Amino acid sequence: MTSTLGVIAVLAVFIGVYDYVRRARSRRNIGSGSTVQKHFGLYAENRPILRLDPVQVPTDLRHLVPLAEKWGIGDDIIRNDLKDKSSSAEKRELHDSLYVPFERITEWLTSFAGRPLSAEAEAFMYMQTALDEMGYYILEEKRAASPTSE
């Protein structure tokens, strides 16, 4: 009986040590956003240059292609760095430019249902994401401004 308990105790210790080592190994390559940013140079100044094809964008949204090339960054760290380094005027320009066509952009993006987004559609999606991350929620603003809202 005593030897059985001893074996169980030894096995429990080995299992505990094994689990501790396994968890420690899985965490060693995880870094904070700032660590990853520094290590890989993920800064707004180093962001990929987007060259979008306006022909792939609906005609009524083509005037937004330059903004999508600037703000349509898929990497969260770089997009947030760009947001942090942008002036209030630049952020307001993005907001004001997307205010009217916001739903139209969303409509276009949902037309890809079941298919991969084009590079242009991805950029527009990330541009909308940048606006949300700035705390501008256009659909909520429009609902609040609507005369039918109570």
Side-chain angles (χ1 to χ4, degrees):
M1 176 80 168
T2 307
S3 64
T4 304
L5 290 176
V7 170
I8 291 172
V10 169
L11 283 173
V13 169
F14 280 128
I15 290 170
V17 169
Y18 170 78
D19 189 53
Y20 174 80
V21 170
R22 184 181 56 82
R23 288 178 190 223
R25 283 184 179 166
S26 70
R27 285 191 297 261
R28 77 174 159 210
N29 291 327
I30 298 174
S32 67
S34 61
T35 301
V36 172
Q37 182 179 37
K38 289 174 189 167
H39 182 74
F40 292 103
L42 301 175
Y43 296 98
E45 299 81 13
N46 301 334
R47 71 181 182 269
I49 305 300
L50 298 178
R51 303 265 188 247
L52 303 178
D53 182 0
V55 173
Q56 301 301 317
V57 177
T59 308
D60 57 330
L61 299 175
R62 288 182 185 163
H63 66 285
L64 298 170
V65 166
L67 283 172
E69 289 176 336
K70 176 179 180 176
W71 292 100
I73 301 165
D75 186 284
D76 296 351
I77 295 172
I78 297 172
R79 190 174 56 250
N80 282 319
D81 192 52
L82 176 63
K83 178 189 68 164
D84 293 343
K85 292 176 178 174
S86 295
S87 68
S88 295
E90 290 173 299
K91 294 172 187 177
R92 178 50 64 179
E93 175 195 19
L94 179 63
H95 171 274
D96 294 349
S97 297
L98 295 185
Y99 191 84
V100 171
F102 195 85
E103 292 95 336
R104 174 65 182 107
I105 295 169
T106 303
E107 177 186 307
W108 173 47
L109 296 176
T110 58
S111 74
F112 285 88
R115 297 179 293 131
L117 294 176
S118 65
E120 293 75 17
E122 285 181 359
F124 273 72
M125 177 185 70
Y126 290 125
M127 177 173 61
Q128 284 184 314
T129 301
L131 193 67
D132 288 345
E133 291 169 346
M134 289 177 205
Y136 292 120
Y137 302 106
I138 288 181
L139 295 178
E140 290 178 15
E141 288 177 25
K142 287 184 176 184
R143 277 189 217 111
S146 172
T148 60
S149 67
E150 297 178 31

